[in-house]
Amino acid sequence: MPPAGWCWLGPVLAACGLLAVADGAAEAGGGAGAGAEAACPATLRSTGRCAAGGECAYEVRLPALTVQLPAQWGRLEEVFKEVQNLKETVNSLKKSCQDCKLQADDSRAPGRGGQLSPSPGAPGEAEDGRVRELESEVNKLSADLKDAKEEIDVLHGRLEELSLVNMNNIENYVDSKVANLTSVVNSLDGKCSSKCPSQEHTQSRPVQHLIYKDCSDYYTIGKRSSETYRVTPDPKNSSFEVFCDMETMGGGWTVLQARLDGSTNFTRTWQDYKVGFGNLRREFWLGNDKIHLLTKSKDMILRIDLEDFNGVKLYALYDQFYVANEFLKYRLHIGNYNGTAGDALHFSKHYNHDLKFFTTPDRDNDRYPSGNCGLYYSSGWWFDACLSANLNGRYYHQKYRGVRNGIFWGTWPGISEAHPGGYKSSLKEAKMMIRPKHFKP
Ligand SMILES: *[C@@H]1O[C@H](CO)[C@@H](O)[C@H](O)[C@H]1NC(C)=O
Ligand SMILES: *[C@@H]1O[C@H](CO)[C@@H](O)[C@H](O)[C@H]1NC(C)=O
Ligand SMILES: *[C@@H]1O[C@H](CO)[C@@H](O)[C@H](O)[C@H]1NC(C)=O
Ligand SMILES: *[C@@H]1O[C@H](CO)[C@@H](O)[C@H](O)[C@H]1NC(C)=O
Ligand SMILES: [Ca+2]
């Protein structure tokens, strides 16, 4: 039941053709039975038509009086404030980082002999501590930002449950703010670790190695062979091995999934998909917890490479890729498509994998009410009801009949055509990999 006094963006969103369900029948504390229309002091004005992407230009005017909103909106406001605070913190950090660079240049000046390990009590030591402090502040800030983002996700989930309103406009707005701040923090992080000599000193101690968050960091230090490497996307969490593709489109890719010969069974449990399985050099799923940490640590893009049994190779590129944590059922966030294979993850209104939860044969989080898509299609995936893409389906070495549970990409040329005898074709190879959005090989 929507709380009383609910009278916000409903009309304007409805005018833009978006879903808006505002239950006007106020059942109120204090007998405010006047109805939402009359009780609503806000005026709304559409400033034009909606863009193709569903974004609408509009104005909301609120009088000086307090407008009652559902409790959830209050929390959203807190998040906005938090984002604002974070922005200010980032600015001051940025400034102190510049200071740090100046000091670094000073300490490199002739006469000091490039000394990087000052004796106890020397000025360098205080500086060393300061940089570490700064670094931990930056890390904390990064974590805070992601928390804010996850909070938005939770909020979004709640609102969906309440069928109140389509949150996309607001969520996109906050998401873009958080993305922006995250990229500032990341670049700051980079500046601090590369420019401050005391930092280099710290890292040369055996206990505190330079942290490689993903394959792009290995690329940056000159690694050019496609191999397994150890990464630490979150210093507070564990390190793990990943396979790095240092060749495709400039390299620096962290591989999340690979299919090539059917040597690994992908019909697996929630727990298996959580921790990962298979062989990093052949077929594997890296693991949802690790994918979450990697996509949380930096803004990532996703590249999907596919090949069929005729040797046709196509790819799909998405300019945003984020997988939420287990609490949020590893919800998928996928951005704009570019490439040659077609946008099978946003196939249509009815088959859209964006913002879907992860489902496995033993854990049904899909949007299909009368069954489990993971069980039916032998896979763990971000199922809708059910799919237009399923790269974790069964591996078929040839055409097959029956349920379309093979490795499937719905926009593949000819894949959905009816074949004589009901034969279906599966893909021969699939690979999913990520790279930081701002990485330049
Ligand atoms: C972040 O926002 C500011 C102003 O709002 C803009 O100047 C800057 O280019 C943005 N940065 C990114 C990475 O989008
Ligand atoms: C894969 O594992 C599932 C579940 O354990 C099992 O039912 C299925 O037969 C296996 N598939 C193959 C090809 O071994
Ligand atoms: C990261 O840490 C959390 C607890 O802090 C844990 O639940 C999670 O499994 C860890 N992830 C990985 C990949 O180690
Ligand atoms: C797709 O990517 C190519 C190569 O990076 C670029 O030239 C092109 O403008 C992109 N197209 C779109 C629609 O973003
Ligand atoms: Ca279901």
Side-chain angles (χ1 to χ4, degrees):
M1 226 353 107
W6 159 251
C7 55
W8 203 41
L9 291 172
V12 74
L13 291 179
C16 295
L18 290 169
L19 171 72
V21 183
D23 189 352
E27 44 133 9
E37 213 60 47
C40 186
T43 61
L44 302 153
R45 200 154 65 86
S46 183
T47 59
R49 273 185 237 108
C50 299
E55 289 221 344
C56 311
Y58 55 78
E59 271 180 11
V60 184
R61 284 170 194 279
L62 300 173
L65 288 166
T66 311
V67 178
Q68 284 191 331
L69 296 174
Q72 291 88 344
W73 293 102
R75 294 188 51 211
L76 185 60
E77 198 188 345
E78 279 165 31
V79 176
F80 277 128
K81 270 187 208 147
E82 192 177 348
V83 168
Q84 193 53 43
N85 288 344
L86 287 170
K87 200 165 181 171
E88 280 156 20
T89 317
V90 166
N91 283 338
S92 72
L93 274 173
K94 212 168 171 180
K95 193 173 169 303
S96 49
C97 189
Q98 277 157 1
D99 292 347
C100 154
K101 184 183 176 309
L102 288 178
Q103 288 186 17
D105 291 342
D106 273 353
S107 68
R108 277 198 181 113
R112 284 212 182 180
Q115 185 198 46
L116 293 184
S117 55
S119 54
E125 182 143 281
E127 188 185 306
D128 187 40
R130 199 165 147 274
V131 169
R132 256 181 282 150
E133 202 178 295
L134 183 64
E135 190 189 35
S136 84
E137 238 180 297
V138 168
N139 284 339
K140 185 178 167 301
L141 194 60
S142 265
D144 285 352
L145 281 171
K146 290 301 176 184
D147 286 349
K149 190 171 154 53
E150 284 174 9
E151 185 151 355
I152 299 278
D153 287 342
V154 175
L155 202 55
H156 183 80
R158 296 233 177 106
L159 286 167
E160 265 177 356
E161 278 164 24
L162 291 170
S163 294
L164 282 179
V165 71
N166 184 319
M167 271 275 288
N168 279 345
N169 283 347
I170 294 144
E171 193 189 36
N172 285 346
Y173 172 75
V174 177
D175 265 6
S176 73
K177 286 262 182 251
V178 172
N180 186 318
L181 282 168
T182 308
S183 77
V184 173
V185 171
N186 283 342
S187 67
L188 185 63
D189 217 353
K191 267 183 214 129
C192 283
S193 57
S194 62
K195 299 276 167 55
C196 296
S198 41
Q199 180 81 8
E200 283 161 26
H201 166 62
T202 308
Q203 281 153 359
S204 69
R205 281 177 202 153
V207 280
Q208 252 181 316
H209 287 297
L210 188 62
I211 284 171
Y212 302 106
K213 291 187 156 188
D214 59 78
C215 294
S216 72
D217 287 344
Y218 280 101
Y219 187 95
T220 303
I221 61 159
K223 301 285 186 196
R224 291 294 182 275
S225 62
S226 295
E227 255 305 328
T228 59
Y229 296 88
R230 178 159 282 270
V231 297
T232 311
D234 179 350
K236 294 192 291 299
N237 219 304
S238 54
S239 303
F240 49 88
E241 297 278 323
V242 294
F243 191 86
C244 298
D245 178 330
M246 299 301 200
E247 288 138 51
T248 304
M249 220 174 98
W253 298 95
T254 306
V255 185
L256 307 181
Q257 183 256 24
R259 310 296 301 272
L260 44 92
D261 55 13
S263 57
T264 294
N265 189 342
F266 275 64
T267 309
R268 300 271 187 151
T269 60
W270 181 265
Q271 180 62 22
D272 284 353
Y273 272 96
K274 171 182 163 75
V275 300
F277 56 82
N279 177 342
L280 287 180
R281 293 169 185 283
R282 288 176 78 182
E283 294 201 317
F284 66 93
W285 181 255
L286 184 61
N288 289 337
D289 279 342
K290 294 170 193 161
I291 295 175
H292 166 67
L293 290 179
L294 285 162
T295 57
K296 175 174 136 148
S297 121
K298 295 180 189 172
D299 285 344
M300 294 287 186
I301 60 172
L302 171 72
R303 181 177 164 114
I304 296 173
D305 279 290
L306 302 169
E307 184 177 346
D308 68 13
F309 284 96
N310 299 320
V312 176
K313 294 183 188 184
L314 302 172
Y315 75 95
L317 200 61
Y318 290 91
D319 70 4
Q320 182 213 356
F321 177 68
Y322 174 71
V323 172
N325 62 17
E326 185 175 20
F327 177 72
L328 295 167
K329 303 172 200 159
Y330 304 119
R331 194 179 216 211
L332 174 69
H333 296 245
I334 189 98
N336 296 320
Y337 162 84
N338 190 357
T340 55
D343 186 2
L345 292 179
H346 310 109
F347 186 77
S348 69
K349 198 163 179 265
H350 300 291
Y351 294 101
N352 181 0
H353 293 278
D354 188 25
L355 300 179
K356 298 308 177 299
F357 302 111
F358 205 80
T359 287
T360 53
D362 62 332
R363 194 74 70 88
D364 183 349
N365 299 315
D366 63 36
R367 285 164 50 88
Y368 179 60
S370 31
N372 177 337
C373 300
L375 190 57
Y376 197 64
Y377 291 98
S378 312
S379 161
W381 193 249
W382 300 276
F383 285 105
D384 190 2
C386 282
L387 65 92
S388 47
N390 174 18
L391 300 182
N392 291 339
R394 282 181 59 174
Y395 195 93
Y396 287 100
H397 295 268
Q398 58 215 350
K399 289 194 189 308
Y400 65 101
R401 301 209 292 188
V403 177
R404 195 189 285 283
N405 60 1
I407 302 173
F408 182 70
W409 190 258
T411 50
W412 194 267
I415 202 164
S416 298
E417 280 165 22
H419 288 278
Y423 282 99
K424 303 178 171 79
S425 45
S426 185
L427 293 170
K428 175 168 167 277
E429 292 187 17
K431 179 153 90 164
M432 299 171 64
M433 53 198 188
I434 56 172
R435 186 165 84 179
K437 187 174 180 142
H438 302 289
F439 176 74
K440 298 272 178 292

